[in-house]
Amino acid sequence: MLKIKNNSIIYPLPGSNLIKRVEENFEIEFPKDFIDFISESNGFIPITRFFEFKSNRYVVDRFLCLLDKPSEHDKGMYDIKVVSVNWMKGYSLMEI
């Protein structure tokens, strides 16, 4: 289990209605593990932020979150919907 940096979870936690709306919007069905993960630890910052995969080292700044109204939240830039739209438009995360 990942250790969570104190006070880094983004509130409010997403409810089932918001999760269903996002699934419908993306035309996907999130796995139960993901739903449990985001419902309990929305957008948190892990204490151990580096990991290795296939001989490469990566960093996780913060996990993405689900917010009902990201434009009205100070952490709205980390909302999955906001990041995916900006990614599809060709923006890098450094520009957001």
Side-chain angles (χ1 to χ4, degrees), residues 66-83:
L66 284 178
L67 296 167
D68 191 32
K69 297 178 181 176
S71 64
E72 297 176 10
H73 196 286
D74 67 329
K75 300 277 189 294
M77 70 197 76
Y78 298 110
D79 183 83
I80 290 170
K81 301 175 301 300
V82 171
V83 172

Side-chain angles (χ1 to χ4, degrees), residues 23-41:
E23 287 178 321
E24 289 170 3
N25 185 42
F26 287 158
E27 298 179 355
I28 60 169
E29 185 175 334
F30 291 130
K32 183 182 179 328
D33 288 348
F34 176 77
I35 293 171
D36 293 345
F37 175 78
I38 203 154
S39 296
E40 297 169 3
S41 52

Side-chain angles (χ1 to χ4, degrees), residues 10-93:
I10 297 176
Y11 291 97
L13 296 174
S16 59
N17 289 338
L18 175 57
I19 292 169
K20 284 291 178 201
R21 282 197 335 257
V22 172
E23 287 178 321
E24 289 170 3
N25 185 42
F26 287 158
E27 298 179 355
I28 60 169
E29 185 175 334
F30 291 130
K32 183 182 179 328
D33 288 348
F34 176 77
I35 293 171
D36 293 345
F37 175 78
I38 203 154
S39 296
E40 297 169 3
S41 52
N42 199 32
F44 77 92
I45 297 171
I47 290 176
T48 303
R49 298 171 63 188
F50 296 94
F51 69 97
E52 292 186 17
F53 181 71
K54 294 187 178 181
S55 301
N56 293 306
R57 192 165 192 205
Y58 299 92
V59 65
V60 175
D61 179 50
R62 170 184 288 279
F63 284 93
L64 298 179
C65 63
L66 284 178
L67 296 167
D68 191 32
K69 297 178 181 176
S71 64
E72 297 176 10
H73 196 286
D74 67 329
K75 300 277 189 294
M77 70 197 76
Y78 298 110
D79 183 83
I80 290 170
K81 301 175 301 300
V82 171
V83 172
S84 67
V85 166
N86 285 319
W87 177 74
M88 288 186 288
K89 288 180 179 178
Y91 297 112
S92 77
L93 292 179

